[in-house]
Amino acid sequence: MHMATVLLMILAAGLSSQWLAARIKLPAIVVLIASGLLLGPVAGVIQIRMPQAELTELIGLGVAIILFEGGMDLRASEFRRVGHGIGRLTVLGPPLAWLLGGLAAHYIAGLSWPVAWVLGAILVVTGPTVILPLLRQARLNKDSAALLKWEGIVNDPVGVLLAVLTFQYFTLADSGWAQVAQGMGAAIAAAAFFGGVGGWATGWLFRRGSIPSHLKAPLLMVLVLVSYWASNRVQHEAGLLSVTLMGLVIGNMKLVEREELRHFKENLTVVLLSVLFIVIPSQLKFSQLGQLDWRAALFVLTILLVVRPLSIGLATLGSPMRKADKQLLAWIAPRGIVAAASAGIFGPALVDAGYPDAERLLPIVFLVIIATVLAHGLTLARLARHLGLAAGEENGLLIVGASPWSQMLAQALKKQGVAVMVADGAYQRLKPIRMDGIDVYYGEILSEHAHHALETEHLSHLLCATDNDYYNALTCKAQGAEFGHHRTFQLATHLEAGGGNKRLPLQQRGYSAFSPSATFEQLHHWLQEGWSMQASKLTETFSFKQLQQRLGTQGEQWLLIGGISPRGSLWLATSEQTFRPMAGWVMLYFAPAQLPASAERNETEAPVEAAPSA
């Protein structure tokens, strides 16, 4: 089979597996590994005719980009908030996990000491490629999420470097502790120069405008790979440490292009993960899978139930971290692509160095990956809720812009049992809302502080309701990825209310909330005329169509705000999305307190005063 056909099959299988995992709500890595095993050892469809050393180098390039993207997600402000915990997890955690993991690999899995110590080092990593999707799924609070994220990203290169130094100690004839210390020093120096200085210089050039905008993202990708390659020339596998540091530096330089660069890397990372998790398991052989016995299964259980809890307990002993965070960390440690890639590198190398039991290294690591991803992925959300570290159910509204009208809307939603928060940079505008017992955020919603401190995981919709149309559009664009673009709304702009094709396109704003006539000024004009928020429950005998007929012309005589499903889920109205509410829905609308004389009230309507049942 031609290489182009094989590559196309890998891409199709990888992205299809990602889509399937999202549909069935399983960690993507599990479906990807299953696809790789099915297409490789089972069906023999994917056969990469390439020397193992060359394939390993290509895998390393992909892992480098993935770790760089993870480094860009690390924020200095997170370290300032939970630095005491991050320091324990990234300084004390790795050597403890290495020591305990190595002992377990020798005494339980039955591996020779050199192979056991290398395996212990590989399993230090916890994998940002698995942690980050799980965090989004579980919707942890920001401090707990920061601890897991920093540990996963920082410990990846540390674990690989430990594996490299351990491998060199047992395989190089002239190796010793002095050689190990020299290798550690060389790796740190290479990371500081190529990652730290190189990252700062890259950001400096970007900030000065020395590089055209259309070249910045692709050029950055090439510079990451060059940094990885150059660092590896200084010290084997120091490149992963360099690219992680490079991502950390560039991600915290407050570049104008930071979000654009990050989105480019995120998209690239999805493709690379899809490819790598198909390629690596596809190279396994049935003979290797047959080496998985009861001792390997017992070793995996020991990693889950003994090594991880004990290493976290010792590393955080005496730390001011919350007890709930310690308990969460003691259980959650899924392994990902770096562990798989490292096992693919060191397994064959140890066999060549005279340790035949190293053939078990890769299948054992895959068993650990599958077990930890399933065990931790399926329990993280439930455990986080039990420990009080997770946000509530994702159902509510964040209103940006405090005003009398937004206060009335917040009151109506709270009355219906829907979570609501109002954000504004002026305390005087927020004061009456806060006095109503409604959650508020005092500050700029687009600030770095809001990004790290504002807890919005329990809110499902965003409504930008300030008197500045273009600020509303800017906020919707900035927050669209977090809330989902289909759940990001803003009040109608003046051009939208007047018609014409000069208005902002949908790609540059949020969906227009309620109606094209619902501008900031018009809403407050209606409010001054005595309009109020009202609710009616639809029944089998009172449909939404009948409600519309009773109220009159939408956008002129009344305004549909949204609805609340029988299960309590919020929906906001917009003329740019279609929706048909059914019986059991509570419809929220803005209308005159007294209906026009021509409007006859339908006796079957059920006015709503209390919150709907969930």
Side-chain angles (χ1 to χ4, degrees), residues 94-401:
L96 286 170
W98 177 39
L99 174 64
L100 296 172
L103 292 173
H106 177 72
Y107 288 110
I108 296 177
L111 298 174
S112 61
W113 278 116
V115 180
W117 288 124
V118 171
L119 177 57
I122 290 173
L123 295 182
V124 164
V125 305
T126 53
T129 56
V130 186
I131 282 288
L132 297 182
L134 292 184
L135 293 181
R136 286 192 290 269
Q137 181 182 348
R139 301 192 343 272
L140 286 178
N141 68 69
K142 292 186 183 294
D143 286 353
S144 301
L147 289 170
L148 283 167
K149 183 173 70 172
W150 272 80
E151 184 198 21
I153 294 171
V154 174
N155 284 1
D156 263 9
V158 171
V160 174
L161 188 58
L162 281 174
V164 169
L165 297 176
T166 305
F167 173 79
Q168 290 180 343
Y169 179 81
F170 285 109
T171 57
L172 297 182
D174 58 347
S175 182
W177 289 112
Q179 187 76 10
V180 170
Q182 181 181 346
M184 179 71 76
I188 293 174
F193 180 75
F194 294 109
V197 178
W200 177 86
T202 302
W204 182 76
L205 290 173
F206 282 11
R207 186 177 290 164
R208 285 175 55 88
S210 302
I211 300 171
S213 296
H214 69 283
L215 290 179
K216 287 181 178 179
L219 181 62
L220 180 59
M221 181 186 69
V222 174
L223 290 175
V224 168
L225 296 179
V226 169
S227 174
Y228 169 78
W229 174 85
S231 299
N232 282 347
R233 302 284 78 76
V234 176
Q235 169 62 38
H236 186 53
E237 295 304 328
L240 297 182
L241 188 62
S242 295
V243 297
T244 303
L245 180 59
M246 190 176 185
L248 177 63
V249 170
I250 292 178
N252 285 276
M253 287 188 72
K254 298 181 180 179
L255 299 175
V256 175
E257 311 89 345
R258 186 180 69 182
E259 290 305 308
E260 179 183 345
L261 295 173
R262 189 173 64 85
H263 288 316
F264 175 81
K265 296 298 180 186
E266 282 181 348
N267 294 333
L268 186 59
T269 294
V270 170
V271 176
L272 289 172
L273 278 174
S274 303
V275 170
L276 294 178
F277 268 118
I278 294 293
V279 169
I280 295 175
S282 71
Q283 302 309 297
L284 284 170
K285 299 178 176 60
F286 272 114
S287 59
Q288 291 176 296
L289 295 175
Q291 295 179 4
L292 294 175
D293 53 13
W294 67 269
R295 300 191 69 172
L298 185 59
F299 170 73
V300 173
L301 289 176
T302 304
I303 291 292
L304 284 168
L305 304 177
V306 179
V307 172
R308 176 65 177 183
L310 190 56
S311 60
I312 291 296
L314 293 173
T316 59
L317 192 65
S319 168
M321 291 172 59
R322 293 176 297 186
K323 181 180 178 180
D325 281 328
K326 293 180 181 180
Q327 292 173 332
L328 183 74
L329 289 162
W331 172 243
I332 302 300
R335 274 64 173 187
I337 187 62
V338 176
S342 300
I345 293 171
F346 294 112
L350 283 167
V351 171
D352 293 341
Y355 302 102
D357 59 332
E359 284 193 357
R360 300 176 61 201
L361 196 63
L362 188 57
I364 288 177
V365 168
F366 269 110
L367 187 61
V368 172
I369 290 173
I370 294 172
T372 55
V373 169
L374 282 174
H376 300 152
L378 297 176
T379 59
L380 174 57
R382 184 177 301 176
L383 178 60
R385 288 194 298 270
H386 175 73
L387 295 174
L389 299 176
E393 184 180 355
E394 187 182 24
N395 180 43
L397 178 65
L398 172 63
I399 304 174
V400 178

Side-chain angles (χ1 to χ4, degrees), residues 550-574:
R550 183 178 71 81
L551 293 174
T553 305
Q554 152 77 341
E556 295 180 10
Q557 296 175 290
W558 69 291
L559 191 69
L560 178 63
I561 300 300
I564 302 160
S565 76
R567 300 186 62 179
S569 299
L570 174 68
W571 165 77
L572 282 187
T574 172

Side-chain angles (χ1 to χ4, degrees), residues 46-64:
I46 295 180
Q47 296 182 1
I48 302 177
R49 294 179 175 85
M50 178 184 298
Q52 183 64 38
E54 294 182 14
L55 180 60
T56 299
E57 290 181 2
L58 289 176
I59 291 173
L61 294 177
V63 173

